[in-house]
Every structure is written in structure tokens, then in C-alpha cells.
Amino acid sequence: MPAISVERTIGATKRAVLGGLIRYNGEKLGRQKHRRFAISLREKAKIVGGVVGEVWMSVLFIQFFWIEERFRGKGHGKALIGQIEDQARKFGAVRSYLDTLSVQAPEFYRACGYEAFGTIDGYPGGVMRYWFTKAL
């Protein structure tokens, strides 16, 4: 009989779960486009900001986005978001989504044309998590 175990390292379980999901989705949806990519902001050779995302099927998921404090408020963020959206369109994406916390950047994403479609509360200090989407 199978047994459930709690693991502190996730490598083997993550690979097994991801492999299972890929096989299952392939059976149900056929082969789908999947691209991971990143856009960086550099000062000389040093990365001072960037955005990481993936296009699966026809939707961009922006996974990570960060800019060093001294480069914020100067248009670099909107430029990075614009670049990842442009690249995603080249890969066939027609929509984008992301999540952010209330202490991070919800107003920034609204200024980039994103609309909130869901929230979760319950984080310490009254922090909320927001999900945003945008048609590309």
C-alpha cells in the first residue's frame, strides 16, 4: 500500500510530479508550446533587474520581476514588462497573468494595463496577494 511522506528536499518529488503532469496534459491537450525565458536590465555586465516568465499554450505567466531600488521609478520596469510581453507575443501568447503582494507592486501592474481578477487575504500584517491579467 502507498505511504505518504513529508520531505524537506523537493527535487525528486518535484521531478516526478512535473513529469506526471506533463504526460497527463499531453494526453488530454496534445503537444503544447512551452517556452521559458528572461529579460534582464544590466548596468555594464551586472544584472540590476529582470523579469522571468514562461509561455504555455498561449498564455504568458510572469513568474518573477525585480529591479534594484536605485533604478525604480525611471521607466525601466515598464520597459521590462513591455519586452517580456513582446517576446511572449512572438511565441503566440494572447494573454498574460501574474501575482504580486500588496506590499510589492499592484499599482505598478495596473499602470502597465493589468486588471486584478482575484485576491487572497490571510497573510501576516494584513498583506493581500493579488492576481492580475492582461490581454496581449
Side-chain angles (χ1 to χ4, degrees), residues 9-69:
T9 57
I10 65 169
T13 300
K14 180 180 176 183
R15 283 188 299 277
V17 170
L18 186 57
L21 283 171
I22 289 170
R23 285 188 302 280
Y24 178 85
N25 288 338
E27 292 169 8
K28 299 297 179 188
L29 301 167
R31 186 179 168 111
Q32 298 295 315
K33 287 191 247 179
H34 183 252
R35 301 252 182 144
R36 290 186 178 123
F37 56 102
I39 312 291
S40 63
L41 177 65
R42 294 175 182 258
E43 183 180 56
K44 299 182 182 176
K46 182 183 177 196
I47 296 173
V48 295
V51 59
V52 177
E54 66 182 12
V55 173
W56 183 57
M57 296 175 36
S58 61
V59 178
L60 166 65
F61 172 44
I62 296 175
Q63 296 172 305
F64 307 110
F65 178 65
W66 163 81
I67 296 177
E68 274 188 22
E69 188 75 34

